[in-house]
Amino acid sequence: MSLPGLTQLLVRLLCILAGALALSFFVTKGVLVPIGQWYEMNRARNESDLSQAFIVALAAQALCAVIGGWLGNRLFCIWRQKRLDRR
């Protein structure tokens, strides 16, 4: 693998990682934490309810990480295509 190919691979992986981390962070801080606090204070009756809510939140965060990684990959492809079009 040549050096330009290796750097392109590293940039693509960084874009995927950045997208996954960014989307999961924003969804966690903006959606999951407020809903979790509301649920804990108003609806949860025991530890089992909190455990189930925690599992749902983990699943939602994992899904957001996958979607964010996909978005990061799409942004990389769009950036690369624009860069190739300029040449």
Side-chain angles (χ1 to χ4, degrees):
M1 185 177 279
S2 66
L3 188 59
L6 182 62
T7 57
Q8 187 175 5
L9 177 66
L10 288 175
V11 170
R12 179 180 227 145
L13 289 174
L14 285 175
C15 287
I16 291 170
L17 182 63
L21 289 175
L23 187 63
S24 64
F25 175 78
F26 289 125
V27 168
T28 298
K29 292 297 181 185
V31 177
L32 294 177
V33 169
I35 289 174
Q37 289 174 346
W38 173 85
Y39 182 79
E40 183 180 358
M41 300 304 287
N42 295 317
R43 298 285 182 197
R45 294 186 193 109
N46 55 28
E47 288 291 321
S48 177
D49 288 346
L50 293 177
S51 296
Q52 289 176 349
F54 182 71
I55 295 300
V56 169
L58 281 176
Q61 190 171 15
L63 183 64
C64 288
V66 170
I67 293 170
W70 178 78
L71 287 173
N73 186 47
R74 292 294 303 152
L75 289 174
F76 172 78
C77 290
I78 290 169
W79 171 76
R80 186 181 65 190
Q81 188 62 39
K82 284 184 179 181
R83 195 168 153 207
L84 290 175
D85 287 345
R86 274 192 253 150
R87 288 183 183 181

